[in-house]
Amino acid sequence: MTQPVQTILLVEDNEANRNMLVRRLERAGHQVTTAADGETALQIMRKQQPSVVLMDMNLPIMDGWTACREARLDGLIRNIPIIALTAHAMEEDKQ
């Protein structure tokens, strides 16, 4: 039985990371759209209604924290799952 294709919005400003993740996700059979900042991500979320968003938290223009807060306040996109991606995994980063 095949798994349904997920439409994924990948929000990542680092081009090398973005390209690597797109290749892996597409190889797994997903459709991937990308954005390099939180503001663009919100626009794409409203227009395309992806199944899930993979959101880098440290982004230019509008960071991932702000984009997530704004998404949760927007009735059109508030229920789209957002998974945070970050290289900051140390205890002091969490604070």
Side-chain angles (χ1 to χ4, degrees):
M1 184 171 191
T2 60
Q3 193 174 6
V5 173
Q6 296 290 311
T7 56
I8 298 172
L9 172 57
L10 173 63
V11 189
E12 171 62 66
D13 62 322
N14 180 292
E15 186 176 1
N17 290 346
R18 188 173 55 242
N19 291 339
M20 180 270 302
L21 288 167
V22 167
R23 283 192 310 272
R24 286 178 173 246
L25 291 166
E26 287 179 343
R27 204 173 307 133
H30 303 293
Q31 293 177 342
V32 183
T33 302
T34 63
D37 63 78
E39 187 174 292
T40 303
L42 289 171
Q43 293 169 1
I44 292 171
M45 289 172 72
R46 290 180 187 113
K47 184 175 181 180
Q48 296 183 9
Q49 299 285 310
S51 303
V52 67
V53 177
L54 302 178
M55 177 86 69
D56 183 15
M57 302 316 286
N58 297 309
L59 297 166
I61 303 173
M62 178 188 291
D63 66 31
W65 303 102
T66 304
C68 287
R69 278 193 301 275
E70 289 202 18
R72 293 302 167 242
L73 295 173
D74 186 322
L76 185 62
I77 59 176
R78 75 168 36 123
N79 294 321
I80 297 173
I82 300 173
I83 299 171
L85 299 177
T86 183
H88 300 284
M90 305 304 291
E91 188 60 36
E92 47 284 353
D93 295 324
K94 293 176 187 176
Q95 295 172 1

